[in-house]
Amino acid sequence: EIVLTQSPGTLSLSPGEGATLSCRTSQSVGSSYLAWYQQKPGQAPRLLIYDASSRATGIPDRFSGSGSGTDFTLTISRLEPEDYAMYYCQPYRSSPPYTFGQGTKLEIK
Amino acid sequence: EVQLVESGGNLVQPGGSLRLSCSASGFTFNSYAIHWVRQAPGKGLEYVSGISNDGGRTYYADSVKARFTISRDNSKNTLYLQMNSLRVEDTAIYFCVKGRGGMRDGYNYYFFDYWGQGTLVTVSS
């Protein structure tokens, strides 16, 4: 079973700053089989990034994904007030069932 | 516009049963796998179950295998989750999720591009 580690658990940053979120997997997920989701309180998650670096429909270009193998990164270049939320990663190298990361909470400093 | 609308969540006693439904619109339902993902109060996301576009393949988390059954009716654009022998730890919001992905080395893989708003299942005496 694949084990995921998202870090940091909580990230406190000010609007306008850049954010770097990490997702590490215990096994290689190949070159690109990883997605990132954003979830705001009381809302359903929303797909941000798929195939490690492709932005989903309607996602601003301040969000970018990178990485391969076991190390992946979600970068938010300039934080907007609406970006403060929980972020989850999900590898999908094989068939389900899948494991999600435990999440990184991005909070306003 | 893609829409996924869950229903059927309720308060149920441990050992009881419940059937969730998910009504889909805005896309060709019979072309996509659909899944259930849940979130316990204050916790992260947990994959529950999924079904291929034609119903030929089903997927289950170990935690629900043999207790939950997923099915779909492509003539009604509706997904179902029959939940039996419910436990307190099944308490969660259950999200219906549209899968998107492909095939690699004979395996289907999915990420989740559209989510419903969820339906709350509470298992408590």
Side-chain angles (χ1 to χ4, degrees), chain B residues 49-64:
Chain B
S49 183
I51 187 167
S52 61
N53 65 311
D54 61 359
R57 290 180 302 281
T58 57
Y59 311 99
Y60 296 96
D62 287 345
S63 59
V64 307

Side-chain angles (χ1 to χ4, degrees), chain B residues 61-82:
Chain B
D62 287 345
S63 59
V64 307
K65 204 173 291 185
R67 299 189 299 123
F68 290 10
T69 302
I70 193 170
S71 61
R72 64 190 294 162
D73 185 338
N74 284 347
S75 69
K76 296 181 178 179
N77 286 5
T78 302
L79 174 76
Y80 304 100
L81 186 68
Q82 177 66 43

Side-chain angles (χ1 to χ4, degrees), chain A residues 4-107:
Chain A
L4 303 179
T5 303
Q6 287 190 243
S7 61
T10 302
L11 187 56
S12 300
L13 293 169
S14 301
E17 290 190 290
T20 302
L21 286 67
S22 171
C23 176
R24 289 186 172 171
T25 63
S26 59
Q27 306 168 23
S28 174
V29 300
S31 60
S32 63
Y33 296 97
L34 189 114
W36 290 94
Y37 303 89
Q38 176 194 66
Q39 187 180 29
K40 299 178 182 179
Q43 295 185 18
R46 174 175 72 149
L47 176 67
L48 293 177
I49 300 288
Y50 64 95
D51 292 350
S53 62
S54 297
R55 272 187 301 276
T57 302
I59 301 304
D61 61 7
R62 64 179 181 274
F63 289 90
S64 63
S66 63
S68 65
T70 60
D71 289 305
F72 296 86
T73 300
L74 174 69
T75 302
I76 311 171
S77 58
R78 297 169 308 278
L79 285 167
E80 298 284 346
E82 61 267 29
D83 298 337
Y84 293 92
M86 285 291 293
Y87 291 85
Y88 297 95
C89 62
Q90 178 232 335
Y92 49 90
R93 185 175 186 267
S94 61
S95 292
Y98 295 126
T99 300
F100 291 86
Q102 84 278 17
T104 290
K105 181 180 181 181
L106 179 56
E107 65 177 25

